[in-house]
Amino acid sequence: MVHGIRTMDGGKKTFKKLKLLLSNLLDNSEIDLVDYGYVLIPISNNKAANAVIKSLEDIPSKCPTTIVAYSNGCWASVQAAERGYHVDHLILINPALNKKHEFPGDILRVDVYYSPTDNVTRLGKWYSKIVNILPWRWTEKHDWGEMGKTGYIGNDPRVHNHNMGDVSHFFYDHHEVSARISQDIDRLYEEDMV
């Protein structure tokens, strides 16, 4: 599980309900919180991506690996997969990603949980547009976007959108949303889709 920015507790509050629900549903599965520390506004996101990579390095390559990420943690998780680290399944909640982002080919499935009232990721899209015109960003683009508001709008059949309703950018304040996400993950594991 990978938290978003401006988090002082390593994602404990963000994922408290979801982690508890998953712990009760998934037998013999290890659930770890990836803590990349407090970040006000990421410039390169390398700190977060490197923390995800470090956690992936400890997992045997044959072990099914699912990353559950929130907001900026979604971008960090995708960056780790783009750098060649093994990820079977991405679960992106309120993703601060470009809505047309192309996912690496070796990922088996991507589930995007979005909210039409998520205006935080819309602000992220505009921040990204502004910083990407700066000369030092021309080779490494900042890829925040509004996928958390719109869902994924590309045509990759591995990507599945889930509308969370009017929860804005704070899914963790809604127990029913955490319950739905945990049940979806449990069902996927039962169907051997990851």
Side-chain angles (χ1 to χ4, degrees):
M1 296 183 148
V2 187
H3 62 83
I5 63 170
R6 297 188 200 105
T7 300
M8 301 284 280
D9 66 356
K12 290 178 185 163
K13 177 185 175 196
T14 304
F15 289 118
K16 181 179 180 179
K17 293 174 191 168
L18 185 56
K19 186 177 182 197
L20 179 63
L21 290 163
L22 286 172
S23 295
N24 291 333
L25 290 171
L26 302 176
D27 294 332
N28 301 320
S29 293
E30 191 173 323
I31 302 172
D32 292 318
L33 292 176
V34 175
D35 183 359
Y36 60 85
Y38 182 87
V39 174
L40 181 61
I41 297 175
I43 304 302
S44 69
N45 216 34
N46 284 332
K47 181 180 178 183
N50 289 337
V52 175
I53 288 168
K54 187 171 190 266
S55 72
L56 292 172
E57 287 174 340
D58 297 333
I59 300 172
S61 62
K62 295 188 186 266
C63 185
T65 304
T66 298
I67 295 179
V68 179
Y70 167 68
S71 192
N72 181 67
C74 298
W75 182 28
S77 300
V78 170
Q79 286 177 302
E82 289 171 342
R83 293 178 191 173
Y85 287 86
H86 176 78
V87 178
D88 293 298
H89 185 199
L90 279 174
I91 297 172
L92 308 176
I93 306 170
N94 294 109
L97 273 173
N98 183 302
K99 61 188 174 184
K100 295 180 182 177
H101 192 93
E102 293 182 23
F103 296 98
D106 54 347
I107 294 174
L108 301 176
R109 182 180 172 109
V110 179
D111 284 275
V112 176
Y113 289 85
Y114 72 97
S115 171
T117 56
D118 183 350
N119 291 318
V120 172
T121 56
R122 175 166 277 172
L123 289 173
K125 174 186 88 168
W126 290 109
Y127 173 79
S128 182
K129 286 182 180 286
I130 292 166
V131 300
N132 282 339
I133 63 172
L134 302 171
W136 56 86
R137 298 297 315 187
W138 292 352
T139 57
E140 186 183 344
K141 298 290 184 189
H142 194 293
D143 202 32
W144 270 359
E146 62 181 342
M147 193 184 292
K149 181 177 182 64
T150 64
Y152 171 74
I153 64 164
N155 54 17
D156 187 333
R158 299 172 300 159
V159 184
H160 306 269
N161 285 317
H162 308 272
N163 186 337
M164 297 184 290
D166 295 336
V167 300
S168 185
H169 193 66
F170 309 102
F171 85 96
Y172 50 84
D173 287 336
H174 304 271
H175 178 78
E176 70 281 1
V177 173
S178 291
R180 176 180 159 201
I181 294 170
S182 67
Q183 290 164 1
D184 288 350
I185 293 169
D186 183 45
R187 187 175 62 254
L188 287 170
Y189 269 80
E190 285 177 4
E191 296 171 1
D192 290 325
M193 296 187 85
V194 292

